[in-house]
Amino acid sequence: MTTLLLGATSSLAAPVEDGKVFSGREGEEVAVIPLTPRSSKKFLLRVKGTGSELDGKVLPYVLKDWSSSSSEQHNYTTQWHGRDYTVLYMRNSHYELYVPGRSKEIDVSFDEKRTQALKSEEVYKQHQKQQEDGTLAKLMAFDRKGEMARHDKDYAATLVELNNACGTAVAATIDWASITDDHLKELSISSYCEAPLNSLKELCKVSNVAKQTIQTRVKQVSCRFGDSPAPKLDAERVIWTTSRDASNQQDFATKFFKTNL
Protein backbone atom coordinates (compact mmCIF):
# COMPACT_ATOMS: atom_id res chain seq x y z
CA MET A 1 0.00 0.00 0.00
CA THR A 2 2.84 2.36 0.85
CA THR A 3 4.51 1.58 -2.45
CA LEU A 4 1.34 2.46 -4.32
CA LEU A 5 1.19 5.84 -2.65
CA LEU A 6 4.82 6.70 -3.09
CA GLY A 7 5.36 5.18 -6.52
CA ALA A 8 8.93 5.62 -7.64
CA THR A 9 9.86 7.43 -4.42
CA SER A 10 9.85 4.15 -2.46
CA SER A 11 13.43 3.44 -3.59
CA LEU A 12 16.40 4.34 -1.46
CA ALA A 13 17.50 7.16 -3.76
CA ALA A 14 14.12 8.90 -3.78
CA PRO A 15 14.69 12.65 -3.41
CA VAL A 16 13.04 14.87 -0.87
CA GLU A 17 12.85 18.63 -0.68
CA ASP A 18 13.25 20.89 2.30
CA GLY A 19 10.25 20.51 4.59
CA LYS A 20 8.39 22.68 7.05
CA VAL A 21 7.41 22.18 10.68
CA PHE A 22 4.15 23.36 12.23
CA SER A 23 3.80 23.34 16.02
CA GLY A 24 1.07 23.69 18.63
CA ARG A 25 0.86 25.39 22.01
CA GLU A 26 1.62 22.25 24.02
CA GLY A 27 4.63 21.07 22.03
CA GLU A 28 2.77 19.16 19.34
CA GLU A 29 4.38 19.28 15.93
CA VAL A 30 4.05 17.96 12.42
CA ALA A 31 6.87 17.95 9.88
CA VAL A 32 5.78 18.12 6.23
CA ILE A 33 8.32 16.77 3.74
CA PRO A 34 7.64 17.12 -0.02
CA LEU A 35 8.64 14.28 -2.32
CA THR A 36 9.79 15.10 -5.83
CA PRO A 37 8.44 15.74 -8.31
CA ARG A 38 6.13 18.20 -6.61
CA SER A 39 3.53 17.60 -9.31
CA SER A 40 2.87 14.18 -7.75
CA LYS A 41 1.50 15.92 -4.63
CA LYS A 42 3.06 13.25 -2.41
CA PHE A 43 4.51 13.99 1.01
CA LEU A 44 5.85 12.43 4.16
CA LEU A 45 4.46 13.70 7.47
CA ARG A 46 5.93 13.02 10.89
CA VAL A 47 3.88 13.86 13.98
CA LYS A 48 5.34 14.32 17.46
CA GLY A 49 4.15 15.33 20.93
CA THR A 50 0.45 14.47 20.64
CA GLY A 51 0.44 11.37 22.85
CA SER A 52 -1.24 9.45 20.04
CA GLU A 53 -0.39 6.27 18.15
CA LEU A 54 0.66 8.50 15.27
CA ASP A 55 3.62 10.00 17.15
CA GLY A 56 6.94 9.21 15.53
CA LYS A 57 5.41 7.48 12.52
CA VAL A 58 6.44 8.71 9.07
CA LEU A 59 3.54 7.83 6.81
CA PRO A 60 3.03 8.65 3.12
CA TYR A 61 0.42 11.30 2.33
CA VAL A 62 -1.33 12.71 -0.70
CA LEU A 63 -2.12 16.42 -0.92
CA LYS A 64 -5.75 17.05 -1.83
CA ASP A 65 -6.54 20.57 -2.94
CA TRP A 66 -10.10 21.87 -2.41
CA SER A 67 -9.34 25.52 -3.10
CA SER A 68 -11.81 27.77 -4.88
CA SER A 69 -11.78 31.32 -6.16
CA SER A 70 -12.88 32.56 -2.72
CA SER A 71 -10.81 30.38 -0.39
CA GLU A 72 -7.69 28.31 -0.19
CA GLN A 73 -7.94 24.90 1.44
CA HIS A 74 -6.18 21.58 1.23
CA ASN A 75 -5.48 18.54 3.33
CA TYR A 76 -2.87 15.82 3.69
CA THR A 77 -4.44 12.37 3.63
CA THR A 78 -3.03 8.92 4.36
CA GLN A 79 -4.38 5.42 4.95
CA TRP A 80 -5.06 4.66 8.62
CA HIS A 81 -6.39 1.18 9.40
CA GLY A 82 -7.81 0.93 5.89
CA ARG A 83 -9.48 4.34 5.81
CA ASP A 84 -8.62 7.68 4.24
CA TYR A 85 -7.48 9.80 7.16
CA THR A 86 -6.69 13.51 7.12
CA VAL A 87 -3.96 14.49 9.56
CA LEU A 88 -3.24 18.07 8.51
CA TYR A 89 -5.87 20.46 7.18
CA MET A 90 -5.33 24.02 5.97
CA ARG A 91 -7.90 26.68 5.25
CA ASN A 92 -6.81 30.20 4.37
CA SER A 93 -3.39 29.73 6.03
CA HIS A 94 -4.91 28.31 9.23
CA TYR A 95 -3.60 24.81 9.99
CA GLU A 96 -5.27 22.10 12.07
CA LEU A 97 -3.70 18.81 13.13
CA TYR A 98 -5.87 15.72 13.66
CA VAL A 99 -4.65 12.56 15.41
CA PRO A 100 -6.33 9.30 16.52
CA GLY A 101 -7.70 9.34 20.05
CA ARG A 102 -8.20 13.10 20.23
CA SER A 103 -11.65 14.31 19.25
CA LYS A 104 -10.64 17.96 18.97
CA GLU A 105 -8.32 19.41 16.37
CA ILE A 106 -4.95 20.88 17.38
CA ASP A 107 -4.22 24.36 16.08
CA VAL A 108 -0.68 24.54 14.68
CA SER A 109 1.29 27.25 12.95
CA PHE A 110 4.53 27.54 11.02
CA ASP A 111 7.55 27.14 13.32
CA GLU A 112 10.63 28.77 11.81
CA LYS A 113 13.11 27.51 14.41
CA ARG A 114 12.04 23.87 14.12
CA THR A 115 11.89 24.18 10.35
CA GLN A 116 15.51 25.32 10.22
CA ALA A 117 16.53 22.32 12.35
CA LEU A 118 14.56 19.82 10.25
CA LYS A 119 16.58 17.37 8.14
CA SER A 120 14.33 15.98 5.42
CA GLU A 121 16.73 13.19 4.50
CA GLU A 122 16.66 11.83 8.07
CA VAL A 123 12.88 11.82 8.08
CA TYR A 124 12.93 9.91 4.80
CA LYS A 125 15.35 7.33 6.22
CA GLN A 126 13.04 6.92 9.22
CA HIS A 127 10.16 6.33 6.82
CA GLN A 128 12.13 3.67 4.95
CA LYS A 129 13.03 1.86 8.17
CA GLN A 130 9.39 1.82 9.32
CA GLN A 131 8.33 0.61 5.89
CA GLU A 132 10.84 -2.23 5.94
CA ASP A 133 10.09 -3.43 9.49
CA GLY A 134 6.33 -3.57 8.86
CA THR A 135 5.36 -0.71 11.18
CA LEU A 136 3.63 1.28 8.43
CA ALA A 137 1.88 -1.71 6.87
CA LYS A 138 0.36 -2.58 10.24
CA LEU A 139 -0.95 0.94 10.77
CA MET A 140 -2.26 1.37 7.25
CA ALA A 141 -3.94 -2.03 6.79
CA PHE A 142 -7.59 -2.59 7.71
CA ASP A 143 -7.93 -4.41 11.05
CA ARG A 144 -11.37 -6.03 11.07
CA LYS A 145 -10.88 -7.79 14.39
CA GLY A 146 -9.71 -4.59 16.04
CA GLU A 147 -12.64 -2.62 14.61
CA MET A 148 -15.13 -5.25 15.79
CA ALA A 149 -13.63 -5.23 19.29
CA ARG A 150 -13.88 -1.44 19.50
CA HIS A 151 -17.54 -1.40 18.50
CA ASP A 152 -18.36 -4.34 20.79
CA LYS A 153 -16.87 -2.37 23.69
CA ASP A 154 -18.98 0.72 22.94
CA TYR A 155 -22.09 -1.43 22.45
CA ALA A 156 -21.49 -3.22 25.75
CA ALA A 157 -21.22 0.11 27.60
CA THR A 158 -24.62 1.19 26.26
CA LEU A 159 -26.08 -2.19 27.25
CA VAL A 160 -24.91 -1.63 30.84
CA GLU A 161 -26.76 1.71 30.87
CA LEU A 162 -29.93 0.00 29.62
CA ASN A 163 -29.80 -2.74 32.25
CA ASN A 164 -29.10 -0.24 35.02
CA ALA A 165 -32.03 1.96 33.99
CA CYS A 166 -34.48 -0.91 33.51
CA GLY A 167 -33.37 -3.30 36.25
CA THR A 168 -32.89 -5.99 33.62
CA ALA A 169 -30.26 -8.50 32.55
CA VAL A 170 -30.76 -8.12 28.83
CA ALA A 171 -28.10 -9.77 26.65
CA ALA A 172 -27.16 -8.07 23.38
CA THR A 173 -24.96 -8.97 20.44
CA ILE A 174 -23.93 -7.57 17.07
CA ASP A 175 -24.33 -10.01 14.17
CA TRP A 176 -20.94 -9.42 12.58
CA ALA A 177 -21.62 -11.86 9.75
CA SER A 178 -24.13 -9.34 8.38
CA ILE A 179 -21.62 -6.48 8.41
CA THR A 180 -19.12 -6.02 5.57
CA ASP A 181 -15.66 -4.47 5.68
CA ASP A 182 -17.06 -1.45 3.82
CA HIS A 183 -19.69 -1.01 6.54
CA LEU A 184 -16.94 -1.01 9.14
CA LYS A 185 -14.78 1.46 7.23
CA GLU A 186 -17.57 3.92 6.50
CA LEU A 187 -20.08 3.67 9.37
CA SER A 188 -20.15 3.83 13.15
CA ILE A 189 -21.59 0.34 13.65
CA SER A 190 -22.06 0.71 17.40
CA SER A 191 -24.07 3.91 16.89
CA TYR A 192 -26.40 2.14 14.46
CA CYS A 193 -26.84 -0.78 16.86
CA GLU A 194 -27.24 1.28 20.03
CA ALA A 195 -30.53 2.87 18.92
CA PRO A 196 -32.87 0.18 20.37
CA LEU A 197 -30.83 -0.01 23.59
CA ASN A 198 -31.06 3.75 24.09
CA SER A 199 -34.76 3.70 23.26
CA LEU A 200 -35.50 1.00 25.84
CA LYS A 201 -33.41 2.85 28.42
CA GLU A 202 -35.37 6.08 27.93
CA LEU A 203 -38.72 4.27 28.03
CA CYS A 204 -37.77 2.79 31.39
CA LYS A 205 -36.95 6.24 32.72
CA VAL A 206 -40.31 7.82 31.85
CA SER A 207 -42.78 5.07 32.73
CA ASN A 208 -42.96 2.35 35.38
CA VAL A 209 -45.43 0.49 33.20
CA ALA A 210 -42.94 0.54 30.32
CA LYS A 211 -40.20 -0.55 32.69
CA GLN A 212 -42.21 -3.55 33.89
CA THR A 213 -43.13 -4.44 30.32
CA ILE A 214 -39.51 -4.35 29.21
CA GLN A 215 -38.46 -6.44 32.19
CA THR A 216 -40.99 -9.07 31.16
CA ARG A 217 -40.84 -8.95 27.38
CA VAL A 218 -37.19 -8.21 26.48
CA LYS A 219 -34.41 -10.67 27.32
CA GLN A 220 -32.19 -10.39 24.26
CA VAL A 221 -31.35 -7.86 21.57
CA SER A 222 -29.56 -8.75 18.33
CA CYS A 223 -28.35 -6.12 15.85
CA ARG A 224 -27.73 -6.90 12.21
CA PHE A 225 -27.45 -5.03 8.90
CA GLY A 226 -29.82 -5.58 5.99
CA ASP A 227 -31.13 -3.87 2.88
CA SER A 228 -33.58 -1.74 4.88
CA PRO A 229 -34.64 -1.24 8.52
CA ALA A 230 -36.84 -4.16 9.59
CA PRO A 231 -37.00 -4.68 13.37
CA LYS A 232 -39.06 -7.49 14.79
CA LEU A 233 -39.89 -9.09 18.12
CA ASP A 234 -39.39 -12.85 18.25
CA ALA A 235 -40.63 -14.16 21.61
CA GLU A 236 -38.39 -12.31 24.12
CA ARG A 237 -35.77 -11.35 21.54
CA VAL A 238 -35.57 -8.04 19.68
CA ILE A 239 -34.01 -8.52 16.25
CA TRP A 240 -32.89 -5.05 15.21
CA THR A 241 -32.20 -4.99 11.48
CA THR A 242 -30.80 -1.66 10.39
CA SER A 243 -29.25 -0.39 7.17
CA ARG A 244 -26.68 2.06 5.85
CA ASP A 245 -29.27 4.72 4.98
CA ALA A 246 -31.32 4.42 8.18
CA SER A 247 -32.04 7.73 9.94
CA ASN A 248 -33.68 8.86 13.18
CA GLN A 249 -33.20 5.33 14.43
CA GLN A 250 -33.92 5.93 18.11
CA ASP A 251 -37.27 7.56 17.30
CA PHE A 252 -38.00 4.68 14.93
CA ALA A 253 -37.13 2.18 17.68
CA THR A 254 -39.34 3.94 20.22
CA LYS A 255 -42.34 3.82 17.87
CA PHE A 256 -41.67 0.14 17.24
CA PHE A 257 -41.52 -0.71 20.94
CA LYS A 258 -44.65 1.28 21.80
CA THR A 259 -46.52 -0.63 19.09
CA ASN A 260 -45.11 -4.13 19.62
CA LEU A 261 -44.28 -4.53 23.31
Side-chain angles (χ1 to χ4, degrees):
M1 187 178 302
T2 306
T3 303
L4 290 175
L5 283 173
L6 290 179
T9 61
S10 61
S11 66
L12 182 63
V16 291
E17 296 184 9
D18 290 340
K20 295 180 179 180
V21 177
F22 299 84
S23 62
R25 294 180 179 178
E26 297 181 5
E28 310 96 338
E29 71 169 59
V30 55
V32 180
I33 313 297
L35 293 165
T36 55
R38 280 232 179 208
S39 58
S40 68
K41 298 184 178 181
K42 293 173 183 177
F43 292 76
L44 298 177
L45 269 64
R46 182 184 65 190
V47 173
K48 288 184 176 181
T50 67
S52 75
E53 189 180 7
L54 196 58
D55 279 3
K57 309 303 188 301
V58 186
L59 288 160
Y61 291 76
V62 175
L63 176 65
K64 297 185 178 181
D65 195 334
W66 310 100
S67 299
S68 66
S69 59
S70 59
S71 68
E72 181 187 10
Q73 56 182 320
H74 58 247
N75 57 35
Y76 298 84
T77 301
T78 189
Q79 285 287 300
W80 185 258
H81 297 312
R83 296 182 177 86
D84 284 346
Y85 189 82
T86 292
V87 170
L88 186 63
Y89 171 78
M90 188 280 290
R91 181 181 176 86
N92 296 333
S93 299
H94 176 75
Y95 286 83
E96 296 173 347
L97 177 63
Y98 294 84
V99 297
R102 293 181 64 161
S103 58
K104 186 173 175 56
E105 72 278 3
I106 303 167
D107 290 333
V108 293
S109 57
F110 176 68
D111 190 314
E112 185 174 358
K113 184 176 180 180
R114 295 188 190 190
T115 294
Q116 290 176 350
L118 179 66
K119 293 180 173 59
S120 295
E121 294 80 6
E122 291 184 3
V123 176
Y124 183 78
K125 289 179 181 178
Q126 188 177 3
H127 163 74
Q128 283 191 309
K129 181 178 183 299
Q130 293 175 358
Q131 183 178 354
E132 291 168 359
D133 66 19
T135 298
L136 301 187
K138 182 179 179 181
L139 291 174
M140 297 173 74
F142 179 62
D143 179 11
R144 182 177 175 90
K145 288 184 178 179
E147 293 287 335
M148 289 166 55
R150 179 171 64 84
H151 288 293
D152 277 333
K153 182 179 179 181
D154 292 342
Y155 189 58
T158 303
L159 177 62
V160 169
E161 295 176 358
L162 158 64
N163 283 325
N164 288 340
C166 295
T168 52
V170 172
T173 58
I174 298 174
D175 179 4
W176 288 110
S178 71
I179 296 169
T180 67
D181 288 354
D182 285 342
H183 285 141
L184 270 166
K185 291 177 183 179
E186 298 168 12
L187 307 174
S188 174
I189 302 300
S190 55
S191 296
Y192 277 73
C193 289
E194 288 167 6
L197 305 185
N198 284 323
S199 173
L200 291 168
K201 177 184 70 176
E202 295 304 318
L203 286 170
C204 284
K205 289 181 179 180
V206 299
S207 168
N208 284 330
V209 173
K211 186 174 183 178
Q212 292 170 2
T213 300
I214 292 167
Q215 289 172 345
T216 303
R217 299 287 308 279
V218 180
K219 303 299 182 184
Q220 295 181 340
V221 178
S222 174
C223 176
R224 65 181 306 278
F225 269 66
D227 294 331
S228 61
K232 69 177 182 178
L233 187 63
D234 181 11
E236 296 175 336
R237 180 187 180 200
V238 175
I239 302 174
W240 179 255
T241 300
T242 186
S243 69
R244 175 190 295 271
D245 298 325
S247 60
N248 300 320
Q249 291 191 93
Q250 187 168 328
D251 290 342
F252 182 65
T254 299
K255 291 179 182 177
F256 170 78
F257 291 133
K258 287 182 176 180
T259 302
N260 293 277
L261 286 181

